[in-house]
């Protein structure tokens, strides 16, 4: 719309006013009729001026409004274009990201979670050890009474379950797969042999101890015999526990609680004293799972629940396992099993409220029900005695452990242990060659 100057506006107003006066004068000049007629009054100049100004203002307002709408429309269009460009940029970034980058981020997250799990497990283990040292120092005898002792670092603690009457069994292990402890004896060659136990702990982090409590009459003949044997061989872990076959679940629970309070190990193992063990194979098997928490390793089985009184392995609480003829839940056989340190810490922390069944391997398995525990069925941990383990060794599949199922251990182990070791053993240098 064209713009008006001040001078043009005044000219238009003057012209309009002059034309209106001229029209009124002409009407009066030619009207000579004598009759009365109603003469129109002339329109005031001020009214005409106001009408002109109002018309001008209305036109100006229309022009400004049109310009404003046009300007607003341009701004909205520009905003839409900006949003469209931003969305297109983000879409290109998403489409440009490769699957490899995404998998890389997933891997980093998984590693962070694993690291956090290990940290939590370490804290739980330290808490368990602190609690055991504080409230249960009486669980240890004189060699472990100090509640302020520093935890000894280790890769694995191997506890060999034994009894007062099993000295010959213990000697058969010391002469085969178990290095002997540090002791001063007359024969220098035998002294060097017994130093291997200390060296194994220092160089490989492998701790081996016979685990035993005390008799019903503390300080009696049986206890004094163990004290003398322990002083000679330096390979015992003594528990404040009354020995007895029907107390194995209690002994197992106390063993793990005590071991956690003395050693900061990655794994804790329980093995019977009539089982042949290849240390190198055992350590290699455990090392495959050292980065995983909550690990329970052994030969998993699910035997029948025996309710008949008087039979071996009879379960007094058979009714808790359902109808007659049912089997136990899956658990590791009691001759040999291993657990990670977080599970050992769990046992130590919750020891007072863990239920004990008649059979210690069933008890251990029951303690892990309801937990996020990974059960590892390692069949090399339950090979048979020759010819079974012999054939496997010849084929290059050396067993972790060997025993007879019919005897729940090696039948006549004292007489046969050396022969089984020569036939199915991995070699005396195998454990020293394992890289941990």
């Amino acid at each position: 719309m064209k713009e008006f100057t001040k001078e043009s506006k005044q000219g238009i107003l003057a012209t309009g006013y002059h034309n209106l006066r001229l029209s009124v004068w002409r009407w009066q000049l030619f009207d000579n009729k004598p009759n009365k007629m109603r003469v129109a009054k002339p329109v005031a100049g001020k009214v005409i001026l106001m009408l002109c100004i109002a018309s001008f203002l209305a036109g100006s307002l229309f022009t400004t409004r049109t310009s404003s709408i046009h300007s607003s429309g341009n701004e909205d269009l520009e905003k839409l274009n900006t949003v469209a460009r931003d969305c297109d940029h983000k879409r290109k970034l998403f489409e440009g990201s490769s699957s490899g980058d995404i998998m890389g981020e997933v891997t980093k997250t998984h590693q962070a979670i694993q690291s956090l799990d290990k940290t939590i497990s370490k804290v739980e283990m330290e808490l368990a050890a602190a609690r055991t040292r504080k409230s249960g120092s009486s669980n240890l005898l004189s060699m472990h009474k100090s509640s302020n002792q520093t935890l000894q670092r280790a890769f694995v603690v191997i506890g060999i379950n034994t009894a007062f009457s099993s000295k010959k069994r213990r000697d058969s292990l010391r002469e085969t797969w178990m290095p002997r402890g540090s002791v001063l004896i007359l024969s220098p060659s035998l002294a060097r042999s017994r130093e291997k136990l200390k060296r194994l702990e220092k160089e490989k982090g492998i701790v081996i101890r016979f685990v035993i409590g005390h008799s019903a009459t503390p300080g009696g003949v049986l206890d004094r015999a163990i004290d003398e044997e322990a002083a000679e061989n330096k390979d015992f872990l003594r528990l404040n526990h009354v020995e007895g076959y029907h107390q194995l679940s209690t002994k197992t629970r106390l063993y793990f609680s005590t071991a956690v309070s003395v050693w900061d190990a990655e794994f804790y193992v329980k093995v019977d004293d009539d089982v042949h063990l290849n240390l190198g194979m055992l350590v290699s098997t455990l090392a495959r799972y050292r980065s995983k928490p909550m690990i329970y390793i052994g030969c998993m089985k699910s035997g029948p629940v025996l309710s008949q009184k008087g039979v071996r392995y009879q379960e007094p609480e058979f009714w808790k396992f359902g109808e007659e003829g049912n089997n136990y839940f899956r658990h590791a056989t009691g001759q040999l099993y291993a657990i990670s340190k977080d599970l050992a810490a769990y046992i130590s922390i919750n020891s007072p409220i863990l239920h004990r069944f008649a059979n210690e391997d069933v008890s251990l398995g029951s303690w892990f029900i309801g937990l996020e525990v990974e059960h590892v069925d390692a069949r090399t941990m339950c090979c048979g005695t020759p010819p079974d383990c012999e054939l496997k060794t010849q084929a290059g599949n050396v067993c972790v452990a060997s025993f007879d199922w019919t005897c729940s251990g090696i039948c006549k182990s004292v007489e046969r242990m050396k022969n089984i070791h020569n036939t199915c053993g991995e070699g005396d240098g195998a454990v020293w060659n394992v890289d941990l």
Side-chain angles (χ1 to χ4, degrees):
M1 182 177 288
K2 294 182 179 180
E3 297 182 356
F4 295 95
T5 63
K6 185 176 181 180
E7 290 77 6
S8 62
K9 292 177 184 179
Q10 292 175 353
I12 292 173
L13 291 175
T15 303
Y17 178 73
H18 174 72
N19 290 337
L20 183 59
R21 291 293 302 271
L22 181 60
S23 299
V24 175
W25 178 79
R26 286 177 180 175
W27 177 77
Q28 291 177 343
L29 179 62
F30 294 101
D31 190 9
N32 296 322
K33 294 182 180 181
N35 59 323
K36 289 182 179 182
M37 295 184 66
R38 187 173 182 181
V39 180
K41 294 181 181 181
V43 180
K46 292 182 178 180
V47 174
I48 295 172
L49 179 61
M50 292 299 295
L51 289 173
C52 292
I53 293 174
S55 299
F56 172 75
L57 292 176
S60 300
L61 180 62
F62 176 77
T63 303
T64 304
R65 180 63 178 170
T66 304
S67 176
S68 175
I69 293 173
H70 181 70
S71 175
S72 177
N74 290 337
E75 291 178 358
D76 292 341
L77 183 60
E78 183 62 27
K79 290 181 179 179
L80 288 174
N81 290 335
T82 301
V83 172
R85 287 194 298 269
D86 184 61
C87 291
D88 185 63
H89 177 66
K90 291 181 178 179
R91 178 182 61 80
K92 290 180 178 179
L93 286 177
F94 178 78
E95 292 177 351
S97 60
S98 63
S99 59
D101 295 336
I102 296 176
M103 291 305 298
E105 292 299 324
V106 171
T107 301
K108 290 180 181 179
T109 303
H110 180 66
Q111 291 174 348
I113 293 174
Q114 283 187 329
S115 177
L116 182 61
D117 285 341
K118 293 184 70 175
T119 302
I120 293 174
S121 298
K122 182 178 180 181
V123 172
E124 289 177 341
M125 188 277 300
E126 292 175 351
L127 176 62
R131 287 182 177 179
T132 304
R133 289 196 302 271
K134 182 178 179 180
S135 62
S137 58
S138 60
N139 293 336
L140 306 175
L141 296 184
S142 57
M143 62 184 300
H144 299 303
K145 279 186 176 179
S146 175
S147 61
N148 296 321
Q149 68 183 84
T150 303
L151 293 182
Q152 303 174 36
R153 297 296 300 274
F155 173 70
V156 59
V157 175
I158 302 173
I160 306 174
N161 184 45
T162 191
F164 290 110
S165 60
S166 300
K167 185 179 186 305
K168 291 184 178 180
R169 286 187 179 183
R170 293 190 289 273
D171 287 339
S172 70
L173 300 188
R174 293 184 182 113
E175 294 170 0
T176 52
W177 62 263
M178 178 185 173
R180 310 197 75 161
S182 174
V183 60
L184 180 61
I185 55 178
L186 297 177
S187 172
S189 60
L190 189 54
R192 287 193 298 270
S193 175
R194 295 185 178 184
E195 281 291 341
K196 289 183 180 180
L197 190 65
K198 277 287 187 180
R199 180 187 166 199
L200 195 65
E201 295 179 15
K202 183 177 180 180
E203 297 183 10
K204 295 297 181 180
I206 302 174
V207 178
I208 307 174
R209 294 289 188 274
F210 288 107
V211 181
I212 195 169
H214 58 77
S215 65
T217 56
V221 176
L222 296 177
D223 291 306
R224 290 198 300 271
I226 292 295
D227 291 340
E228 293 175 1
E229 187 179 347
E232 179 183 354
N233 294 281
K234 311 294 184 182
D235 54 7
F236 276 88
L237 175 64
R238 304 294 302 276
L239 306 177
N240 185 19
H241 165 74
V242 179
E243 286 291 323
Y245 179 78
H246 296 291
Q247 297 296 321
L248 287 179
S249 292
T250 301
K251 183 178 181 180
T252 299
R253 187 181 64 179
L254 187 56
Y255 157 63
F256 285 118
S257 298
T258 304
V260 164
S261 71
V262 179
W263 292 281
D264 176 13
E266 296 187 43
F267 293 95
Y268 297 84
V269 172
K270 178 262 177 182
V271 61
D272 289 338
D273 60 4
D274 55 354
V275 172
H276 180 266
L277 194 64
N278 282 317
L279 289 177
M281 288 301 301
L282 173 65
V283 172
S284 298
T285 300
L286 298 179
R288 292 200 293 267
Y289 302 97
R290 68 189 311 178
S291 63
K292 294 185 178 182
M294 311 288 277
I295 293 293
Y296 175 33
I297 309 174
C299 284
M300 300 296 165
K301 67 174 185 177
S302 180
V305 180
L306 303 179
S307 59
Q308 299 86 358
K309 291 185 178 180
V311 301
R312 191 180 186 187
Y313 307 125
Q314 188 258 343
E315 179 58 70
E317 296 180 277
F318 62 89
W319 61 272
K320 291 185 177 180
F321 298 92
E323 300 299 328
E324 185 176 353
N326 282 356
N327 287 348
Y328 287 112
F329 43 79
R330 191 68 65 173
H331 62 278
T333 186
Q335 287 83 358
L336 170 67
Y337 49 74
I339 61 175
S340 54
K341 67 178 180 181
D342 41 14
L343 292 182
Y346 172 81
I347 293 173
S348 179
I349 294 171
N350 299 282
S351 180
I353 61 173
L354 294 178
H355 185 72
R356 292 158 293 168
F357 290 100
N359 301 297
E360 52 96 8
D361 52 353
V362 174
S363 295
L364 183 73
S366 71
W367 298 338
F368 302 149
I369 291 179
L371 303 181
E372 289 294 337
V373 174
E374 180 178 349
H375 291 59
V376 178
D377 186 15
R379 306 314 296 180
T380 59
M381 295 175 72
C382 55
C383 294
T385 56
D388 181 43
C389 63
E390 182 179 11
L391 294 175
K392 291 177 179 177
T393 301
Q394 292 174 355
N397 301 317
V398 180
C399 295
V400 174
S402 302
F403 57 87
D404 297 311
W405 284 103
T406 55
C407 297
S408 297
I410 297 176
C411 301
K412 299 181 179 179
S413 64
V414 174
E415 294 82 4
R416 298 177 61 208
M417 186 64 70
K418 184 173 292 187
N419 177 65
I420 294 173
H421 181 67
N422 294 333
T423 304
C424 302
E426 62 190 351
D428 294 337
V431 67
W432 304 103
N433 296 325
V434 176
D435 184 10
L436 295 176

